[in-house]
Amino acid sequence: MLAFFNYLLRLANLCQKEFIAVLKDPANRVILIVPPILQSLLFGYAANFDLTNVPYAVLDESRGGASTELIARFDGTGVFHRVATLDSASQISEVIDTGSALLVVHFSPDFERLLSAGHTTPLQVILDGRNSTTAGSAVGQLQAIISAYNQRDGHEAAKPAVTVMSRAWYNPNLESRWNIVPALIASLSMIQTIMLAALSVAREREQGTFDQLLVTPYTPLQIMIGKAIPSIAIGLSQAMLVLTISLYWFDIPMTGSFWALLLAMLMFMITIVGIGLSISALSANMQQAMLYTFVLIMPLTLLSGLATPVSNMPHFMQMATYANPLRFAIDLVRRIYLEGAPLTLLWHDFIPFVGITLVTMPLAAWLFRNKL
């Protein structure tokens, strides 16, 4: 018991030393500019706001000629790609919740009858409000198709025969803020955490104290834990600050569990610290550590789905996003925050965290011990 207490005391001393170094060193807050060529390439591929791929599902309870024609018009645009044909309204929740469809077009049972009688006929469109920008653009494209259908055969109707009634789940007003601000809980805390972790060992090397630290009774594992805990704590504090701003400044309601969100952020912070410590152990000085970090931050951010959907990216870049922990962290935050999804439905997003941590943490520990 005494040995365990001494072990914890040593870790506490290391953490205290790291906290003092982090809070006093102004170099940790220095921001470098990512090379312009990297920005140009990544923005050219990933930052695509064009509406090119909208997966959608159809629930046709009318099964008439009008609904068949409209579905054919949707499929013929090259923009809307039907991923499912539903049989009942109970299936709508599944395709929206899993993200397999951005929207569901619902033709009511009396669609054909109302249209034949010359009445204004509603067409329900259910949107995934978690991706408000693309969903809003998709509705505009749908309305253009409906307008062209209403004017078929060159006859302008006195009033539209079909009107679109859209309903957005998880973001009723399709506000971009609801999509962006919760995602910042992960992305902003990542920038702070990876920078602090990347500078930790590099700062010791530059100041000439790392070799002194290695000859102390501390093991490489203890040194790594002592440097990881402060970065994780600061990253979680940053995430909670953004959460507070989201809740009380922007009034974006949170429907999920706070503890589920905290667990997701903790796992994400551990993963990011592993990456940061590996960068730090590889860097000879703080300048190298900051350069490597900012070169890495830009692709992590652009390939995360923060601003643009991953589905709009080229296929090879979509494959690259599976190695990006920020992609899964943003998915976790959005689904917990906006959707209220339980962890039992989100367990697959934790797998990349575990895999990356199992690679980066042992690598960092080995570099602590062996790199000159």
Side-chain angles (χ1 to χ4, degrees):
M1 187 65 183
L2 183 60
F4 180 70
F5 178 77
N6 290 332
Y7 184 85
L8 292 180
L9 184 60
R10 288 182 176 183
L11 286 181
N13 291 334
L14 276 176
C15 291
Q16 182 183 15
K17 167 188 171 297
E18 195 66 21
F19 271 119
I20 293 174
V22 167
L23 296 176
K24 284 189 174 182
D25 192 351
N28 290 343
R29 298 183 293 272
V30 174
I31 300 177
L32 297 179
I33 299 175
V34 179
I37 187 171
L38 181 62
Q39 293 186 29
S40 301
L41 290 175
L42 287 176
F43 271 105
Y45 281 111
N48 182 9
F49 292 92
D50 296 332
L51 195 67
T52 58
N53 180 24
V54 178
Y56 83 107
V58 171
L59 174 59
D60 186 6
E61 295 181 307
S62 172
R63 301 187 185 279
S67 62
T68 302
E69 181 181 350
L70 277 172
I71 293 172
R73 287 173 178 252
F74 297 156
D75 292 339
T77 60
V79 173
F80 294 91
H81 302 281
R82 189 167 9 143
V83 296
T85 301
L86 310 181
D87 298 319
S88 66
S90 61
Q91 296 176 318
I92 295 177
S93 177
E94 180 181 355
V95 295
I96 294 291
D97 287 351
T98 58
S100 57
L102 180 68
L103 56 88
V104 176
V105 179
H106 178 204
F107 295 89
S108 61
D110 58 353
F111 182 87
E112 186 78 17
R113 179 181 60 81
L114 292 174
L115 195 61
S116 300
H119 298 301
T120 298
T121 308
L123 173 63
Q124 186 181 41
V125 179
I126 299 173
L127 309 172
D128 185 352
R130 293 168 296 187
N131 191 352
S132 58
T133 302
T134 306
S137 300
V139 169
Q141 185 78 4
L142 274 178
Q143 289 174 337
I145 297 172
I146 296 298
S147 178
Y149 175 82
N150 290 333
Q151 300 173 25
R152 63 194 182 282
D153 299 329
H155 298 294
E156 180 77 22
K159 61 179 181 179
V162 180
T163 58
V164 175
M165 296 177 59
S166 61
R167 175 187 173 192
W169 286 6
Y170 314 122
N171 187 356
N173 297 321
L174 288 178
E175 297 183 27
S176 298
R177 181 179 297 164
W178 285 39
N179 183 48
I180 296 296
V181 175
L184 296 179
I185 297 173
S187 58
L188 291 183
S189 59
M190 179 203 71
I191 296 174
Q192 184 80 358
T193 303
I194 197 171
M195 176 62 71
L196 293 176
L199 289 173
S200 59
V201 178
R203 181 180 58 249
E204 299 268 8
R205 282 204 177 99
E206 192 169 290
Q207 295 175 350
T209 58
F210 186 66
D211 291 337
Q212 299 176 9
L213 189 62
L214 290 178
V215 299
T216 61
Y218 293 108
T219 65
L221 178 62
Q222 289 176 317
I223 296 175
M224 183 179 66
I225 294 175
K227 290 188 172 297
I229 290 177
S231 298
I232 293 172
I234 292 173
L236 286 176
S237 300
Q238 181 81 8
M240 294 304 103
L241 177 60
V242 179
L243 173 62
T244 302
I245 294 172
S246 178
L247 286 172
Y248 300 108
W249 183 263
F250 293 111
D251 293 325
I252 302 175
M254 179 176 175
T255 59
S257 168
F258 168 79
W259 298 110
L261 181 62
L262 184 63
L263 176 61
M265 285 297 95
L266 176 61
M267 293 295 296
F268 177 55
M269 290 299 106
I270 293 174
T271 304
I272 290 301
V273 165
I275 297 174
L277 289 177
S278 299
I279 293 174
S280 188
L282 286 169
S283 304
N285 51 54
M286 295 175 63
Q287 184 178 8
Q288 285 186 8
M290 288 189 291
L291 179 61
Y292 295 158
T293 300
F294 277 97
V295 168
L296 185 62
I297 284 175
M298 183 57 68
L300 287 179
T301 302
L302 288 179
L303 298 178
S304 66
L306 172 64
T308 58
V310 174
S311 59
N312 275 9
M313 301 177 189
H315 180 69
F316 73 94
M317 279 201 164
Q318 293 185 35
M319 298 303 296
T321 61
Y322 286 101
N324 182 6
L326 183 59
R327 170 191 173 174
F328 300 96
I330 288 178
D331 183 66
L332 281 168
V333 170
R334 283 175 173 165
R335 296 197 64 185
I336 293 173
Y337 193 109
L338 298 175
E339 180 184 335
L343 291 178
T344 53
L345 297 179
L346 304 174
W347 61 268
H348 52 85
D349 279 342
F350 288 90
I351 296 177
F353 296 162
V354 176
I356 295 173
T357 302
L358 291 178
V359 172
T360 56
M361 284 296 190
L363 174 64
W366 183 85
L367 289 172
F368 286 167
R369 184 175 61 253
N370 294 279
K371 191 174 186 300
L372 295 177

